[in-house]
């Protein structure tokens, strides 16, 4: 049984490439390009974990996180931040995110964190 | 002059121009204006008061000094009048009581004279003159019997007036004397005259009975101004006095005048028995002696006051001007610092924007390269597979380097906002060291960490603290030579109950001149290499964080910077204290 991952980022190239890499690592991945799309897909796709970019046009990462948490407060969410500082990540964790990573990512670090959270 | 002064006053109250160049002359003007203002507002009323006092006191004194002269002159005038009147009455009484025949008898007149002398002093002789002016009887020490007086002034006058008082004269007796004469008209129509001589010593005695005091004079003159008694300053007896005698009609008066020697005097005049004028002269200098003492005391006190006021005013103006100058300089410095901080802040924001924008494509490159690596790794062996993997790894590691650069840029921008949190000081300093490790290893600088793991968490701003640590460590690295040593220790300071961190280097240290200025903005020893703001900003930051920054430095031995930072509770209490 593959772990189901929902990957959310407004940068298509980033999303598709990362999705492809995760699939190569045996995850079932669905992608969303915006916060709104994320919440829509989440309601249909029963995923195990969400990887969410904090900085997006429209609904930002923290709003989406709140939306996800109202649907399922136990869903693990890993935040991605491009801001180089830990401040936004910490804020996200206060609001229920499981962890945060800084962009550009190290794929091994990401999968390690995901596996920790999923088991 | 006046308008300039007012301008300066305006300057004093005007807020100086925002970007004012330093104008030391402005402070000189200000200092002068304040001093002049102070001096004017104090000395003018003081001088006016002193002037009014001086004038009033002098006027009062003038009035008061006339009174004693006036009463003294009056007293003497009455004494003289009584003396003269007494003797005149006595002679009149004798001439009325006795007949011509009785008086013609020398024995009788001698008896009378003896009785007279025993009752009244001053009589020298007594004689009777007949109608023809011949002395027919005489009692006295001189041999004057038979002398003819018909041509003398006294004889002529007594025939007209009935009474006669002479001026002092020498006469036949050859010593100064006065003659009193009175006419007797008998019932049978006979006329004869009784004539008495009085020693002028009596006049002198009367005058001398006054306690004159030094430099004063008192004397009797006749209507023509001829001295009747001795004078100290205004001529000899029987000569005209050198003092200008005003016409005295009646009564007594006192006037201020100048005598021939130019002395300012107060002179009292009073007519005595119509024939004489009594004169009392007191020099003003004697009367005014107390006034002069008072005057000089007053001027002395005024002078001392003015000197004190001038000194105080100058001191005060210096103080005020220096305070203003310092405040303005501080403000200017703060402004410059602020401008610099703002500049850095905007550079930071720009850098952050750029870094953020670069991060996204960088993430894509990272993922693409990662995917390529994945694909190659999962595919079977092919020609150049190893080479591909190697190149790909280079891309990934380069992206990683870029990542650290953008993260540092983003971190730099964050330094300008303060946000307090509980911090592990050890961790914070370790993160800063990560930036410097490479340079340290290039230059073989040994960094020793004595970090105490039991120190409490401080309540501070990580970004700001890191900037301070970075500043101090950069300075330390600049100060040590190749192969130098930097020691970082953390501990709980028992004295202040704050958490402390020491940065100790064994570099070249600072001399006392440098030590004085290290926290001044734009002060640098790096000769154009530095902005001179590092420590100044650090100082400002630590102050904002309610901490303390101190240092100790010895030339050629090294420098130790110590930063004390509060825990959350201490921070709150300091902030509260400052608010109050």
């Amino acid at each position: 049984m593959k772990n189901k991952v929902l990957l959310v980022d407004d940068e298509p190239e980033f999303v598709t490439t990362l999705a492809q890499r995760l699939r190569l690592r045996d995850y079932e991945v669905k992608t969303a390009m915006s916060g709104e799309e994320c919440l829509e897909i989440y309601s249909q796709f029963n995923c195990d974990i969400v990887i969410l970019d904090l900085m997006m046009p429209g609904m930002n990462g923290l709003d989406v996180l709140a939306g996800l948490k109202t649907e399922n407060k136990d869903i693990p969410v890993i935040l991605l931040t491009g801001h180089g500082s830990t401040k936004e990540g910490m804020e996200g964790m206060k609001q229920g995110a499981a962890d945060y990573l800084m962009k550009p990512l190290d794929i091994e670090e990401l999968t390690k964190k995901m596996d920790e959270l999923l088991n | 002059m006046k308008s300039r002064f007012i301008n300066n006053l305006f300057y004093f109250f005007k807020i100086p121009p925002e970007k004012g160049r330093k104008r030391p002359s402005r402070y000189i003007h200000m200092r002068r204006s304040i001093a002049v203002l102070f001096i004017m507002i104090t000395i003018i009323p003081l001088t006016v008061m002193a002037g009014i006092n001086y004038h009033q006191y002098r006027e009062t004194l003038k009035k008061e000094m006339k009174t004693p002269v006036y009463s003294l002159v009056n007293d003497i005038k009455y004494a003289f009048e009584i003396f003269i009147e007494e003797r005149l009455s006595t002679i009149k009484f004798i001439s009325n009581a006795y007949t011509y025949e009785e008086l013609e008898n020398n024995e009788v007149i001698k008896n009378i004279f003896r009785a007279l002398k025993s009752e009244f002093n001053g009589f020298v002789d007594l004689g009777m003159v007949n109608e023809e002016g011949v002395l027919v009887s005489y009692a006295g020490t001189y041999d004057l019997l038979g002398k003819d007086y018909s041509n003398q002034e006294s004889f002529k006058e007594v025939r007209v007036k009935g009474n006669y008082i002479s001026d002092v004269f020498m006469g036949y007796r050859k010593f100064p004397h006065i003659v009193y004469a009175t006419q007797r008209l008998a019932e049978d129509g006979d006329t004869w005259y009784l004539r008495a001589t009085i020693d002028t010593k009596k006049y002198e005695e009367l005058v001398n009975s006054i306690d004159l005091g030094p430099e004063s004079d008192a004397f009797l003159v006749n209507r023509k101004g001829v001295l009747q008694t001795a004078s100290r300053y205004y001529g000899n007896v029987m000569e005209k006095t050198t003092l200008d005698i005003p016409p005295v009609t009646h009564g007594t008066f006192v006037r201020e005048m100048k005598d021939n020697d130019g002395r300012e005097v107060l002179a009292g005049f009073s007519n005595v028995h119509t024939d004489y004028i009594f004169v009392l002269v007191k020099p003003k200098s004697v009367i005014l002696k107390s006034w002069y003492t008072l005057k000089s005391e007053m001027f002395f006190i005024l002078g001392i006051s003015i000197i004190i006021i001038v000194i105080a005013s100058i001191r005060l103006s210096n103080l005020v001007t220096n305070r203003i100058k310092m405040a303005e300089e501080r403000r200017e410095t703060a402004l410059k610092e602020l401008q610099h901080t703002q500049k850095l802040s905007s550079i930071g924001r720009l850098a952050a924007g750029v870094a953020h924008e670069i991060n996204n494509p960088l993430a894509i490159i990272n993922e693409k390269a990662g995917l390529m690596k994945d694909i190659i790794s999962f595919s079977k062996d092919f020609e150049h597979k190893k080479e591909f993997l190697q190149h790909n790894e280079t891309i990934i590691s380069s992206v990683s380097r870029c990542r650290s650069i953008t993260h540092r840029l983003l971190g730099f921008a964050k330094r300008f906002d303060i946000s307090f949190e509980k911090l592990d000081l050890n961790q914070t300093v370790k993160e800063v060291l990560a930036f410097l490790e490479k340079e340290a290893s290039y230059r073989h600088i040994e960094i020793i960490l004595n970090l105490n793991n039991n120190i409490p968490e401080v309540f501070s701003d990580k970004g700001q603290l890191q900037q301070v640590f970075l500043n101090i460590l950069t300075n330390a690295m600049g100060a040590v030579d190749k192969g130098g040593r930097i020691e970082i220790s953390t501990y709980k300071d028992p004295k202040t109950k704050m958490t402390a961190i020491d940065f100790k280097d064994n570099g070249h240290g600072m001399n006392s001149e440098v030590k004085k200025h290290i926290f001044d903005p734009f002060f640098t020893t790096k000769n154009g290499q530095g902005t001179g703001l590092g420590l100044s900003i650090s100082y400002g930051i630590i102050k904002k964080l309610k901490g303390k920054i101190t240092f100790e430095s010895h030339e050629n031995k090294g420098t130790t910077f110590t930063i004390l930072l509060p825990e959350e509770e201490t921070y709150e209490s300091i902030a509260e204290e400052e608010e109050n």
Side-chain angles (χ1 to χ4, degrees), chain B residues 40 74 84 97 165 177 187 255 279 289 405 433 436 445 481 491 534 536 551:
Chain B
M40 271 171 54
N74 255 357
I84 295 165
I165 298 172
H177 64 275
E187 282 106 31
R255 70 159 56 171
V279 183
K289 207 169 175 183
I405 294 166
L433 283 174
L436 299 167
I445 294 169
D481 295 322
Y491 55 93
S536 160
F551 69 97

PDB file of all heavy atoms in Angstrom, chain B residues 40 74 84 97 165 177 187 255 279 289 405 433 436 445 481 491 534 536 551:
ATOM      1  N   MET B  40      22.499  91.316  31.826  1.00  0.00           N
ATOM      2  CA  MET B  40      21.606  92.472  31.741  1.00  0.00           C
ATOM      3  C   MET B  40      20.435  92.350  32.707  1.00  0.00           C
ATOM      4  O   MET B  40      20.127  93.297  33.442  1.00  0.00           O
ATOM      5  CB  MET B  40      21.086  92.646  30.320  1.00  0.00           C
ATOM      6  CG  MET B  40      22.014  93.517  29.500  1.00  0.00           C
ATOM      7  SD  MET B  40      21.575  93.523  27.760  1.00  0.00           S
ATOM      8  CE  MET B  40      19.879  94.002  27.804  1.00  0.00           C
ATOM      9  N   ASN B  74      22.017 128.342  66.662  1.00  0.00           N
ATOM     10  CA  ASN B  74      21.000 129.020  67.460  1.00  0.00           C
ATOM     11  C   ASN B  74      21.389 129.124  68.931  1.00  0.00           C
ATOM     12  O   ASN B  74      21.258 130.185  69.540  1.00  0.00           O
ATOM     13  CB  ASN B  74      19.676 128.264  67.346  1.00  0.00           C
ATOM     14  CG  ASN B  74      18.712 129.001  66.442  1.00  0.00           C
ATOM     15  OD1 ASN B  74      19.027 130.103  65.963  1.00  0.00           O
ATOM     16  ND2 ASN B  74      17.560 128.423  66.200  1.00  0.00           N
ATOM     17  N   ILE B  84      25.653 139.647  76.029  1.00  0.00           N
ATOM     18  CA  ILE B  84      25.713 141.074  75.680  1.00  0.00           C
ATOM     19  C   ILE B  84      24.623 141.853  76.415  1.00  0.00           C
ATOM     20  O   ILE B  84      24.878 142.892  77.030  1.00  0.00           O
ATOM     21  CB  ILE B  84      25.593 141.270  74.158  1.00  0.00           C
ATOM     22  CG1 ILE B  84      26.821 140.652  73.468  1.00  0.00           C
ATOM     23  CG2 ILE B  84      25.454 142.749  73.781  1.00  0.00           C
ATOM     24  CD1 ILE B  84      26.654 140.464  71.976  1.00  0.00           C
ATOM     25  N   ALA B  97      20.830 154.431  87.969  1.00  0.00           N
ATOM     26  CA  ALA B  97      20.759 154.396  89.430  1.00  0.00           C
ATOM     27  C   ALA B  97      21.557 155.527  90.091  1.00  0.00           C
ATOM     28  O   ALA B  97      21.230 155.971  91.182  1.00  0.00           O
ATOM     29  CB  ALA B  97      21.235 153.028  89.932  1.00  0.00           C
ATOM     30  N   ILE B 165      27.567 149.286  70.892  1.00  0.00           N
ATOM     31  CA  ILE B 165      28.443 148.130  71.111  1.00  0.00           C
ATOM     32  C   ILE B 165      29.497 148.211  70.037  1.00  0.00           C
ATOM     33  O   ILE B 165      29.194 148.240  68.839  1.00  0.00           O
ATOM     34  CB  ILE B 165      27.687 146.808  70.998  1.00  0.00           C
ATOM     35  CG1 ILE B 165      26.586 146.747  72.082  1.00  0.00           C
ATOM     36  CG2 ILE B 165      28.627 145.618  71.148  1.00  0.00           C
ATOM     37  CD1 ILE B 165      25.666 145.564  71.941  1.00  0.00           C
ATOM     38  N   HIS B 177      39.623 144.505  72.627  1.00  0.00           N
ATOM     39  CA  HIS B 177      38.524 144.653  73.566  1.00  0.00           C
ATOM     40  C   HIS B 177      37.308 145.234  72.874  1.00  0.00           C
ATOM     41  O   HIS B 177      37.357 145.630  71.707  1.00  0.00           O
ATOM     42  CB  HIS B 177      38.944 145.555  74.738  1.00  0.00           C
ATOM     43  CG  HIS B 177      39.264 146.964  74.327  1.00  0.00           C
ATOM     44  ND1 HIS B 177      40.510 147.329  73.862  1.00  0.00           N
ATOM     45  CD2 HIS B 177      38.510 148.086  74.315  1.00  0.00           C
ATOM     46  CE1 HIS B 177      40.487 148.633  73.574  1.00  0.00           C
ATOM     47  NE2 HIS B 177      39.285 149.105  73.826  1.00  0.00           N
ATOM     48  N   GLU B 187      17.153 164.459  84.321  1.00  0.00           N
ATOM     49  CA  GLU B 187      15.933 165.286  84.314  1.00  0.00           C
ATOM     50  C   GLU B 187      16.259 166.759  84.059  1.00  0.00           C
ATOM     51  O   GLU B 187      15.490 167.486  83.435  1.00  0.00           O
ATOM     52  CB  GLU B 187      15.199 165.179  85.664  1.00  0.00           C
ATOM     53  CG  GLU B 187      14.397 163.899  85.811  1.00  0.00           C
ATOM     54  CD  GLU B 187      15.032 162.912  86.743  1.00  0.00           C
ATOM     55  OE1 GLU B 187      15.709 163.337  87.703  1.00  0.00           O
ATOM     56  OE2 GLU B 187      14.887 161.683  86.505  1.00  0.00           O
ATOM     57  N   ARG B 255      23.501 126.840  55.079  1.00  0.00           N
ATOM     58  CA  ARG B 255      23.621 126.616  53.631  1.00  0.00           C
ATOM     59  C   ARG B 255      24.891 125.846  53.292  1.00  0.00           C
ATOM     60  O   ARG B 255      25.851 125.839  54.040  1.00  0.00           O
ATOM     61  CB  ARG B 255      23.538 127.935  52.879  1.00  0.00           C
ATOM     62  CG  ARG B 255      24.737 128.838  53.062  1.00  0.00           C
ATOM     63  CD  ARG B 255      24.833 129.836  51.930  1.00  0.00           C
ATOM     64  NE  ARG B 255      23.596 130.616  51.789  1.00  0.00           N
ATOM     65  CZ  ARG B 255      23.521 131.663  50.973  1.00  0.00           C
ATOM     66  NH1 ARG B 255      24.565 132.017  50.248  1.00  0.00           N
ATOM     67  NH2 ARG B 255      22.409 132.345  50.882  1.00  0.00           N
ATOM     68  N   VAL B 279      29.009 132.615  62.994  1.00  0.00           N
ATOM     69  CA  VAL B 279      29.188 131.689  61.867  1.00  0.00           C
ATOM     70  C   VAL B 279      29.754 130.374  62.380  1.00  0.00           C
ATOM     71  O   VAL B 279      30.706 130.368  63.162  1.00  0.00           O
ATOM     72  CB  VAL B 279      30.156 132.275  60.815  1.00  0.00           C
ATOM     73  CG1 VAL B 279      30.279 131.327  59.625  1.00  0.00           C
ATOM     74  CG2 VAL B 279      29.683 133.646  60.362  1.00  0.00           C
ATOM     75  N   LYS B 289      31.381 111.676  56.653  1.00  0.00           N
ATOM     76  CA  LYS B 289      32.330 110.574  56.793  1.00  0.00           C
ATOM     77  C   LYS B 289      31.601 109.229  56.808  1.00  0.00           C
ATOM     78  O   LYS B 289      31.963 108.299  56.084  1.00  0.00           O
ATOM     79  CB  LYS B 289      33.139 110.731  58.079  1.00  0.00           C
ATOM     80  CG  LYS B 289      34.483 110.067  57.955  1.00  0.00           C
ATOM     81  CD  LYS B 289      35.361 110.439  59.108  1.00  0.00           C
ATOM     82  CE  LYS B 289      36.665 109.678  59.040  1.00  0.00           C
ATOM     83  NZ  LYS B 289      37.491 109.969  60.195  1.00  0.00           N
ATOM     84  N   ILE B 405      23.713  31.050   0.447  1.00  0.00           N
ATOM     85  CA  ILE B 405      23.860  32.501   0.228  1.00  0.00           C
ATOM     86  C   ILE B 405      22.513  33.206   0.364  1.00  0.00           C
ATOM     87  O   ILE B 405      22.379  34.218   1.072  1.00  0.00           O
ATOM     88  CB  ILE B 405      24.483  32.790  -1.155  1.00  0.00           C
ATOM     89  CG1 ILE B 405      25.924  32.274  -1.187  1.00  0.00           C
ATOM     90  CG2 ILE B 405      24.441  34.282  -1.480  1.00  0.00           C
ATOM     91  CD1 ILE B 405      26.509  32.197  -2.576  1.00  0.00           C
ATOM     92  N   LEU B 433      29.220  31.482  14.397  1.00  0.00           N
ATOM     93  CA  LEU B 433      30.554  30.942  14.120  1.00  0.00           C
ATOM     94  C   LEU B 433      30.586  30.197  12.785  1.00  0.00           C
ATOM     95  O   LEU B 433      31.614  30.171  12.116  1.00  0.00           O
ATOM     96  CB  LEU B 433      30.991  30.030  15.255  1.00  0.00           C
ATOM     97  CG  LEU B 433      31.474  30.764  16.508  1.00  0.00           C
ATOM     98  CD1 LEU B 433      31.743  29.785  17.619  1.00  0.00           C
ATOM     99  CD2 LEU B 433      32.736  31.564  16.200  1.00  0.00           C
ATOM    100  N   LEU B 436      31.954  32.167  10.145  1.00  0.00           N
ATOM    101  CA  LEU B 436      33.347  32.620  10.260  1.00  0.00           C
ATOM    102  C   LEU B 436      34.359  31.484  10.245  1.00  0.00           C
ATOM    103  O   LEU B 436      35.556  31.717  10.156  1.00  0.00           O
ATOM    104  CB  LEU B 436      33.518  33.427  11.555  1.00  0.00           C
ATOM    105  CG  LEU B 436      32.665  34.681  11.647  1.00  0.00           C
ATOM    106  CD1 LEU B 436      32.681  35.217  13.062  1.00  0.00           C
ATOM    107  CD2 LEU B 436      33.170  35.755  10.682  1.00  0.00           C
ATOM    108  N   ILE B 445      43.289  30.712  12.778  1.00  0.00           N
ATOM    109  CA  ILE B 445      42.886  31.301  14.056  1.00  0.00           C
ATOM    110  C   ILE B 445      42.142  30.222  14.831  1.00  0.00           C
ATOM    111  O   ILE B 445      41.227  29.585  14.306  1.00  0.00           O
ATOM    112  CB  ILE B 445      41.990  32.541  13.831  1.00  0.00           C
ATOM    113  CG1 ILE B 445      42.803  33.642  13.154  1.00  0.00           C
ATOM    114  CG2 ILE B 445      41.425  33.046  15.154  1.00  0.00           C
ATOM    115  CD1 ILE B 445      41.977  34.789  12.642  1.00  0.00           C
ATOM    116  N   ASP B 481      46.652  38.137  15.001  1.00  0.00           N
ATOM    117  CA  ASP B 481      47.517  37.799  13.870  1.00  0.00           C
ATOM    118  C   ASP B 481      47.242  36.359  13.463  1.00  0.00           C
ATOM    119  O   ASP B 481      46.501  35.641  14.122  1.00  0.00           O
ATOM    120  CB  ASP B 481      48.980  37.960  14.280  1.00  0.00           C
ATOM    121  CG  ASP B 481      49.290  39.410  14.576  1.00  0.00           C
ATOM    122  OD1 ASP B 481      48.754  40.277  13.851  1.00  0.00           O
ATOM    123  OD2 ASP B 481      50.031  39.672  15.554  1.00  0.00           O
ATOM    124  N   TYR B 491      28.491  32.122  30.611  1.00  0.00           N
ATOM    125  CA  TYR B 491      28.341  31.801  32.035  1.00  0.00           C
ATOM    126  C   TYR B 491      27.265  32.696  32.630  1.00  0.00           C
ATOM    127  O   TYR B 491      26.839  33.677  32.012  1.00  0.00           O
ATOM    128  CB  TYR B 491      29.666  32.004  32.783  1.00  0.00           C
ATOM    129  CG  TYR B 491      30.267  33.381  32.612  1.00  0.00           C
ATOM    130  CD1 TYR B 491      30.004  34.390  33.534  1.00  0.00           C
ATOM    131  CD2 TYR B 491      31.082  33.675  31.512  1.00  0.00           C
ATOM    132  CE1 TYR B 491      30.544  35.647  33.375  1.00  0.00           C
ATOM    133  CE2 TYR B 491      31.619  34.925  31.336  1.00  0.00           C
ATOM    134  CZ  TYR B 491      31.353  35.918  32.272  1.00  0.00           C
ATOM    135  OH  TYR B 491      31.868  37.171  32.104  1.00  0.00           O
ATOM    136  N   GLY B 534      30.026  49.473  13.275  1.00  0.00           N
ATOM    137  CA  GLY B 534      29.820  48.147  13.859  1.00  0.00           C
ATOM    138  C   GLY B 534      29.553  48.180  15.346  1.00  0.00           C
ATOM    139  O   GLY B 534      28.492  47.761  15.803  1.00  0.00           O
ATOM    140  N   SER B 536      29.173  50.800  17.272  1.00  0.00           N
ATOM    141  CA  SER B 536      28.148  51.774  17.634  1.00  0.00           C
ATOM    142  C   SER B 536      26.764  51.140  17.527  1.00  0.00           C
ATOM    143  O   SER B 536      25.930  51.261  18.422  1.00  0.00           O
ATOM    144  CB  SER B 536      28.274  52.973  16.710  1.00  0.00           C
ATOM    145  OG  SER B 536      27.103  53.701  16.707  1.00  0.00           O
ATOM    146  N   PHE B 551      34.004  46.239  27.863  1.00  0.00           N
ATOM    147  CA  PHE B 551      35.230  45.635  27.321  1.00  0.00           C
ATOM    148  C   PHE B 551      36.414  45.996  28.189  1.00  0.00           C
ATOM    149  O   PHE B 551      36.379  46.958  28.956  1.00  0.00           O
ATOM    150  CB  PHE B 551      35.461  46.101  25.884  1.00  0.00           C
ATOM    151  CG  PHE B 551      35.832  47.558  25.785  1.00  0.00           C
ATOM    152  CD1 PHE B 551      37.169  47.939  25.687  1.00  0.00           C
ATOM    153  CD2 PHE B 551      34.862  48.537  25.825  1.00  0.00           C
ATOM    154  CE1 PHE B 551      37.516  49.283  25.614  1.00  0.00           C
ATOM    155  CE2 PHE B 551      35.201  49.881  25.763  1.00  0.00           C
ATOM    156  CZ  PHE B 551      36.526  50.256  25.657  1.00  0.00           C
TER     157      PHE B 551
END
